[in-house]
Amino acid sequence: MRDSSPARPFFRAPRSLLLTDPAVRRRRQALYLFFFLPGIAMSSWVTRTPDVRDQLGASTAEMGLILFGLSIGSMIGILCSGRFVARLGTRPVIVLGTTLIITATIVIGAGSALSSAPLVTAGLFLFGAGMGSGEVAVNVDGADVERITGAPVLPTLHGCFSLGTVVGALAGMTATAAAVPVHWHLAVITLASTGMLIHASRALPTGVGLSTRPRTPDPAERSGPQVWKDRKLLLIGAIVLAMALAEGAANDWLPLLMVDGHGLDATAGSLVYVGFAAAMTLGRFCGTFFLVRFGRAVVLRASALSGALGLVLVIFSDNVAVAATSVVFWGLGASLGFPVALSAAGDSGPDQTARVSLVAIIGYVAFLVGPPALGFLGDHYGLRTAMVAVLVFVASAVFIAPAADTRDRARATLDA
């Protein structure tokens, strides 16, 4: 008989292990912080983009060039991350990436204080390098926790990132309303993030990412090309590309989109972003229930439909209230795409580290590199029109969502 709940075969180990093993529990809590911290840093920057833009006197196209520093840094971090994890394990790469994010936050603040576009660009370069390297490593570590506990951990971990964006966005909105200078705001974020890094780094084990490599005579030649040639894995990568682009576009442009595209002031634009981040958080923390009940393919298809609906309303509605509230659909739709696709990639065949790394790289390319390109489109056609490109990608995910149902492969791997 066909299983009526396709997500259950992915998670066979007893969930009690997650609750009773102190080392696993501390490790999971540390990963919560390593996801939470970049969320705070990201939203702290995003909510202050109108103020930074005004401080620098930059146009939309010039802001796109400034964000290009984020793209270059992220590409370098992404391309180096898999190699660093393979040689050093996830722990040192996570710590290095997080340190770069913290350093970037204070550099961006200094650039704003000095009205220096090159300094802000340099800060975004460091931010991208930290996100690109550290976040790939932390997803590999999270997938390993998911494997040893038998529980769907990644959606909750990514929920912590979204929770961080909510907390950071609320703080940013408050700082904007109170006219707190950007550099003082980001200095406080830097101090808080440093404390979290010191606390969380102690709980991560060493060697993760090294031990998951298959013991073949030449893994560089044998496992790598097989991963790239796996059609199903590439379709999963296409899903995460579309959904990560939807998330990244909102993280980088939503406040400015509401200010320039719908006529809101900076505080109201930040409030709309808080709504988006809250919807992301809700979707990720509630996602496990729907994954167990309906399976990955159904959840991803519903997510893509919700994201497309939100984007349609934001782009084409001239009613400010409708556009502002529709970001809830946008946020709910984008919430599960990244973590669910990463989980599906890990179950899609042997060499989990290589598979998760490949899909994570695709996702972070979209998340960090896509939004600057939207800035150039926005300068020529307006930000609302530029978001049509995001809508096209999200709509395409509706049709390729079944690729995330790796049930048969997971069963074969477990049986083997």
Side-chain angles (χ1 to χ4, degrees), residues 255-402:
L256 282 176
L257 174 63
M258 300 309 298
V259 170
D260 295 347
H262 290 282
L264 297 180
D265 60 31
T267 302
S270 296
L271 181 60
V272 171
Y273 177 75
V274 171
F276 171 84
M280 289 277 295
T281 305
L282 178 65
R284 284 173 169 170
F285 280 118
C286 297
T288 299
F289 170 81
F290 294 101
L291 286 168
V292 172
R293 188 172 181 85
F294 299 107
R296 290 174 180 149
V298 173
V299 169
L300 282 176
R301 178 166 285 173
S303 297
L305 286 170
S306 176
L309 174 62
L311 281 162
V312 166
L313 293 175
V314 169
I315 294 168
F316 299 108
S317 176
D318 291 325
N319 187 302
V320 176
V322 171
T325 55
S326 63
V327 300
V328 173
F329 295 105
W330 186 351
L332 288 173
S335 63
L336 292 175
F338 208 147
V340 174
L342 288 176
S343 183
D347 281 337
S348 63
D351 197 357
Q352 182 191 50
T353 299
R355 290 175 177 274
V356 173
S357 295
L358 173 61
V359 173
I361 286 170
I362 294 172
Y364 281 110
V365 166
F367 185 79
L368 295 171
V369 178
L374 295 174
F376 293 101
L377 289 175
D379 190 58
H380 289 86
Y381 306 105
L383 282 175
R384 287 171 64 175
T385 304
M387 292 298 158
V388 173
V390 182
L391 175 60
V392 171
F393 277 96
V394 173
S396 69
V398 176
F399 302 100
I400 58 178

Side-chain angles (χ1 to χ4, degrees), residues 120-152:
V120 172
T121 305
L124 289 173
F125 172 85
L126 293 175
F127 195 100
M131 284 284 289
S133 59
E135 291 300 295
V136 170
V138 81
N139 275 291
V140 171
D141 207 288
D144 186 65
V145 172
E146 193 169 77
R147 177 185 61 81
I148 65 176
T149 61

